[in-house]
Amino acid sequence: MVATSHDVMPDIELYQPTDEANALALARELGTNGWLLSGGQDTYGWLKDRAKRPGAMIELTRIDAWKGIRETADGIEIGAVTTLTEIAENPLLLSRYGLLAEAAGKVASPQIRNVGTLGGNLCQDTRCWYYRRGLDCYRAGGNLCYADSPEALNREHALFGASRCVAVSPSDTAPALVALDATMVISSASGQRTVDAEDFFIGPAQDILHMTVLRPGEILTAVRIPAAWANAEYYFEKVADRNVWDFALVNIAAAMKVSGGAIEEARMVCGAVECVPRRLRSVESAVRGMPRSEQTAEQVAALATEGARPLNYNHFKVPLMQNLVKRAVRG
Amino acid sequence: MAYMHIGKDFVPQDAPGKVTGRIKYAEDYARDGMVYARLLSSPIPHARVLDIDASEAMAMDGVFGILTADDVYPDGEPDGTGLKVLTNEPTLIGEPILAVAAVDEKTAEDALERISVTFERLPFVLDPLDSLQEGGPDAYTGGNTYIFRQGFAQVKWTADQVAGFRSGTEPSAEAQQDVSFGDLGQAFSESAFVYESPFSTAGYPHMSMEPRSAFAYWENGKCFLHGSSQSMTPVAEGMAAIVGCPVEDFVFINEATGGGFGQKARPNSIPSMAIPAKFSQKINRPVMMRISREEETFIGGARQGFQGWIKVGFRQDGTMAALDMYIVSDNGGKGGGGDAYSAADAIVVLYQPSAMRFRGTAVGTNTGHRGAQRGPGQNQIAAIIAPLIDKAAEELGIDRLEIRKINAHETGDGNARQAPATSAYMPEALEQASALFNLPERLGRSRARSGSKITGIGIGQGYHDAGRSGMDGIVRLMPDGRLQIHSGVGNLGTYSYAATSRAAAEVLKMPWERCDVIHGRSDRHLPMTSPQDGSNSIFTNTRTNFGAAMDLLDKMKEIAAMDLGGSVEDYDIADERVYQTADDSVGMTFAQVAQRGIELGGKYSGQAEVPEGISDFTRLSVERLAGSALMGIYNDPRHEGNVPGLTVSMIEIELDTETGKYEILDMCSIADCGTVVHPQGLANQLRGGAVWGIGLAGYERHLYDPQNGLPASTGYWQSKIPTLLDVPDNMGTGWVDLPDPENPVGARGIGEPAMGSVSAALVSAISDALDGHFFGAAPITADMIINHLAGTSENAKALAQNNFRG
Amino acid sequence: MDGEIVRYKRDVWGEEVILGVSWDLLWVVATAILILLAAHAIIMAVLANRKMDKPSSEGRRVNRHHVVDRAFHWIMAVSVLVLIITGTAPILGWRIAWLNIHWIAGLVLTFVVIFHIIRAFFWQDFKSMLLGPRDFGEPFDSAKKPGKYSFEQKGMHWAMTVVVLAVIVTGVVLFLQIDTPFWDRTNSMPEDQLGLMFLLHGLSTLALIALTVTHIYFALRPEKLFYTRSMITGWISEDEMAANHDTSKWSPKEAE
Amino acid sequence: MNPKLTRRRFIKGVIASGVAASSASLWYAATGQSRPSGAVERMVRLDVNGQMRPVDVAPQETLASTLRYKLGLTGTKLGCNRGECGACTVLVDDVPTYGCSVLTHSVKDQRIETVEGMESANGQLHPVQQAFIDELGPQCGYCTPGQVMSAVGLLRSNPNPTRDQARQALAGNLCRCGSYDSYINGVMRAAQIG
């Protein structure tokens, strides 16, 4: 067999469960041989390339329980298969959690947002081009990284948390949800568990094959955002080469509670600089009690990139990250 | 001059089909018993196929066969570079090795997975300078370069010469190509401002929306090939040769082409279209071959990348005294094109230096095949020279518009080979752009800061030689009085096949709705013409259609004089009648004239000897049309001089120093392309060129991993094709609209320069916003701007512009 | 992947190369070794009916292990266990940041092993560990008694030596392929050779696991427990010595 | 490229590249496990351009391939087959969707509209189509069907869009010829006549 270029969907089974129990049972039964299909925007490429070969797809979008945006006692709950377009346009989100709505509106292109779901955007695989080419690198179960070597083309890769693999988190909504201190609801045939958004994503040191804590048989079914961060002051920005159909070179999501001109509490997160959305804890604590001003911005920006380990081509992400932090703090 | 059609908009006959989806592109056809082919392409940058084992695949249900290079070239593959139909010695990843045909695409790809190919790996190279280095690997087995009419050659430099070139000092190595005029030393000594710098520009793929899919079948000895080409008759003739089918038995069908920007213009850039033809001949079934986007990236052609060194000198009065330029160009895996010389030629045309020296060496690399792409050479260099012109203006204290006017190209001015311009109105174009764009006021805002944003104003100029001659024309006046204009022009989206036909309607004062443009299938008996590249069509084919219509007009008058008395001079035409100027009641309708022409036969209906110099292809068409109508047949004589297509673009941007991103607030483009034939089409070319220019200056790329030669950009996303939100809204357009004496309707071409001037203007604006910083590169990506502003450490590399690693 | 010993992958150009050992073997080895030891335990239990008096640990004591050697043994033991645990964690699906711990433990092991080799050559009674042809009769002749080390102990030692050296050598090669505080990876190793290293490292790891389990098992056997004690305290009783060793071949000093 | 490194990589000379056991990712390799029941039925009835069309659809089949190769609706183009160009844009319950990146089975219960369905019964062009002709939106025309569908989708949800809303709505449709401006002019014109 030759590693030639493929472009056609190979034979693969499809299940379209309409109720939760059925879907979870299928997920358990199929295990790693099953592929969770939501909007499919990070599915068909893998399959057409024949780079990943699941035996069956389980479509999650027919389960109403996992759709929609509901108010709850302490905040809101968003079904994981709610489309990004719905999230970007939802009045409730726009009024209280504009950060997430804005982030969702920045994803890819209109047509992709029309079918792409929140769950899909959170669970999507990394865009490292070596990995996407179907190479058997660490992340694909291999034994080396093609992107972290003396001559590799790694402009889009990680500044932090690299462990053999230097791929980064591709999601725009993930940093927003970490900034909003969201909780992920994970269901499986054996029950339900919840995980903080921050802990939902895992780096290569913990598990080089997966980007989330999801185990075979588990499904991300909902995301809960606490009221605590409703109507905070938000800042989101995505810097990419193109304004459509592109992944962030760096993106930032910040939520700040400001009173009396001073920042009481802040959560700041950068995407595309590490395998997981990176919390800027040192910045968060440094801005506490300070005003949202140019001076504060200048003082704290450098903290954001402490410990950065640039690769061949991504040094620019260091000043870019600092600048984005400045913009977030400055407001 | 008041025209009936020239300079007026019209609805091209294929436009409705395009908005309804009814018009068919190659892959939209189907036929009973049609099978689907998929390609097995090389996973290795440079290799030799030792063995192919397809037994497992052949045993599968629904698999009809495979086609290999041995089937296509029983007597061995043609020597030399250039894409082959299929090959056993791939020199780039993605080069087609064999095709499998099956009942559907899925089965064909399942079969591909069961085919094993044994390769011998050969050394590969990605950076031309690595290949120039003594002992460095060569991209081709025969050497690292291919010299036209001489074959493979090996060019090697000393380690010092390579190191020197990388470090940007004046190159000392002997060049493949060395063209010069004037006294360079003298000219530099006269210069008040001399600037010298290395530079690099990216090569990147064409990425036409329609991949070069093709469909073919044979029917009682005739081969029918549905393809996707920019051109029609020249490709029909050439593809027949590649397929190995006599031209008279070969039918090339290409009603519409989903975009072509240089690499769908000529048969040798689309040999893959012969695969279904050869395949269907072998398995005796209609074969559809869809080319995937990734495959299109590999074999669809790419612009040549440059690494160069430029030295320019300007006199105190702002005139360009001297240009000295050295370019090593990346010729890719299949041998490249003449971009480098064209780059030097463009600077000469646009700025008229008194002395010039160009040295160039083209080196092969095991990367995507290179070839002509919209403004090959002219448009890369436009983005490099523009900020240098601005530098000179700043140093010499001359207004940025003024310095361009001082050096502007005008009628009679020469190109690098001293061929005089048939006509050129660059000063007018600059003035017009300045007025439309309100340049003086905008220049007042130049480098103004607001927060993290800086305003940058850019001026750019574009050039491409845009006209050929010597082609053929056929028009027919039908018995029902309709005018049929046979066009050998391809339908690549410029509507030039129709716009150029209007020259014939103009001559005969025919209402457009009474005219039919016959095109899109080679068996519609079309005249031979030049390929639709080099922005030549509007010039070349208005000449042929005008000429053919004049021939028809003479014949009409002869017939009228013959039947109604008097001499030819006594007759004129109007309202589809030939009439006596003395008494317009005496005359005959076009329909009557046509019928008489058929009765008379001979030269009137194409049954006599055709004009001297007409091509065999056209002759065949005429023979097949003979006797069907009153015919106008024409072979266009050669024209004198260089036909320039010129553009000026102006851009205002707001560059964000914190993100390295900029917004194009406003822009405009003005064309100097002689008389405007089709305003909407021209506006489309100016806007389309702008989008391309923004891509070249901003982010389009074609990356290869230096370690293993893997292509890092194989689709739209990774190649960074500009999207709607990357380009400004409401681009301003305009034209000088002064006629060219060498064209009967005064027209010159424009497609290519429309891009160069915009890439130049954008780079000029970016450089303006950054206090005149000269990146010496295109594209200028966000990371380069951030690194520059942050003064990021030396080891901070911007993503490779091309395969050169500086 | 079913039942194969070697796992393969495609190299960067799509050609098949070795990826490493198939970790299915981990279960094979684990099961096999447990069955063997269980069998041994049962047999011993049966034989145990024929009462043979256990030598007393009271009375005069003689030196068996110098404090330095005991320290070495336990450092080595800990590092090996840490290496096995961290090495198998990702295979067993434990999501821990194992790599750094793994190579640090690997370095410790490497250094103490080097130390031990040097010491064994120059400061220890090297002969006492040599495995000669005569030793092989030992298990079958109850009259024959060993010198300082029994046939089993020598066998275990030399098997361990081979396996540990194998994991160390392959481990060091792999260590060079990752980024560390000391260097950045060079990516200069051809993929097929890299795969071979992973394979050897994996195979020797499997052997190491088997030996380690066996070693621990015997160390905990009641009739051998005094050896384990001696590896902690350093001494055995003269009774124990007399019962298990030939004093003409081994006459240790009395422990004060 | 580092010559030393590549030389080392090429010392091998002749090597076979055949007979690979598994595809790129062992971790997803389909093992011959037993399949649960309840997988999709192949025969479906699709509501395409207002007609119910019975068609045999493989589980993994994309809508674009069903439309093009099973129903002969070739107006829907494949520019990239990867959701990166928009030439295959169709309307699913009025929502612009990439036909190449949605499974036919996923939309089998929904209303599917393609460019072929935009003309009225009497053959009159849709205002968007007419406006695109008037503004000469199409150049090569390959992206045009997708542009038409995105524009129609916009005007159904927002009959009087601002120019910026139109740009946002058509942002998911690539045009290599660069006719973006002409298409937006067309949308604005269509909004007036429509």
Side-chain angles (χ1 to χ4, degrees), chain B residues 378-392:
Chain B
Q378 297 93 346
N379 292 353
Q380 290 100 303
I381 211 65
I384 299 300
I385 193 72
L388 294 183
I389 302 294
D390 293 330
K391 255 193 193 313

Side-chain angles (χ1 to χ4, degrees), chain A residues 1 6-7 9-16 41 44 48-49 53 59 62 109-111 114 134 136 140-141 151 245, chain D residues 2 17 23-24 27-28 30 36-37 39-40 59-60 81-83 89 96 98 100-101 105-106 108-109 150 172-173:
Chain A
M1 167 178 161
H6 288 279
D7 196 42
M9 293 281 281
D11 285 322
I12 173 170
E13 207 46 86
L14 173 65
Y15 295 89
Q16 299 184 309
Q41 303 307 288
Y44 307 126
K48 288 171 182 173
D49 285 338
R53 305 300 279 277
E59 187 179 79
R62 287 171 188 255
S109 76
Q111 288 94 320
N114 287 344
D136 288 352
E151 291 197 300
W245 273 301
Chain D
N2 166 352
S17 110
S23 87
W27 301 85
Y28 286 79
S37 57
V40 291
Q60 77 277 11
N81 200 24
R82 299 304 172 103
T89 302
Y98 292 142
C100 75
S101 297
H105 281 283
S106 302
K108 59 190 166 194
D109 310 324
S150 289
N173 294 74

Side-chain angles (χ1 to χ4, degrees), chain B residues 282-327:
Chain B
K282 181 180 180 183
I283 61 176
N284 195 25
R285 284 187 170 79
V287 176
M288 170 65 76
M289 177 186 69
R290 180 173 69 89
I291 292 295
S292 73
R293 178 52 45 189
E294 184 177 358
E295 289 161 342
E296 179 69 15
T297 316
F298 293 139
I299 62 173
R303 189 178 288 277
Q304 286 183 297
F306 287 170
Q307 176 132 331
W309 171 87
I310 186 171
K311 183 178 176 188
V312 281
F314 292 82
R315 298 190 189 83
Q316 193 56 53
D317 63 6
T319 53
M320 185 184 278
L323 165 71
D324 189 3
M325 185 155 73
Y326 199 123
I327 293 176

Side-chain angles (χ1 to χ4, degrees), chain A residues 8-80:
Chain A
V8 183
M9 293 281 281
D11 285 322
I12 173 170
E13 207 46 86
L14 173 65
Y15 295 89
Q16 299 184 309
T18 50
D19 69 89
E20 224 168 330
N22 188 352
L24 295 170
L26 279 165
R28 161 181 286 180
E29 201 167 341
L30 287 162
T32 54
N33 191 35
W35 180 286
L36 300 180
L37 179 70
S38 190
Q41 303 307 288
D42 189 25
T43 296
Y44 307 126
W46 283 120
L47 303 183
K48 288 171 182 173
D49 285 338
R50 303 190 176 208
K52 294 193 188 288
R53 305 300 279 277
M57 295 178 281
I58 309 169
E59 187 179 79
L60 308 179
T61 48
R62 287 171 188 255
I63 294 157
D64 296 331
W66 297 346
K67 281 188 196 157
I69 299 158
R70 314 170 267 286
E71 253 187 293
T72 63
D74 74 327
I76 62 162
E77 180 169 291
I78 305 173

Side-chain angles (χ1 to χ4, degrees), chain B residues 504-535:
Chain B
E506 189 71 52
V507 170
L508 298 168
K509 305 197 177 123
M510 282 291 276
W512 190 236
E513 57 279 7
R514 298 274 294 145
C515 302
D516 308 301
V517 182
I518 310 300
H519 75 117
R521 286 180 66 110
S522 61
D523 60 355
R524 288 185 179 141
H525 320 312
L526 311 175
M528 178 50 63
T529 186
S530 171
Q532 272 53 71
D533 55 13
S535 304

Side-chain angles (χ1 to χ4, degrees), chain B residues 507-509 553 556 571-575 577-579 590:
Chain B
V507 170
L508 298 168
K509 305 197 177 123
L553 181 55
M556 289 161 74
Y571 289 87
D572 197 356
I573 56 164
D575 312 325
R577 277 182 81 247
V578 198
Y579 65 92
F590 279 11

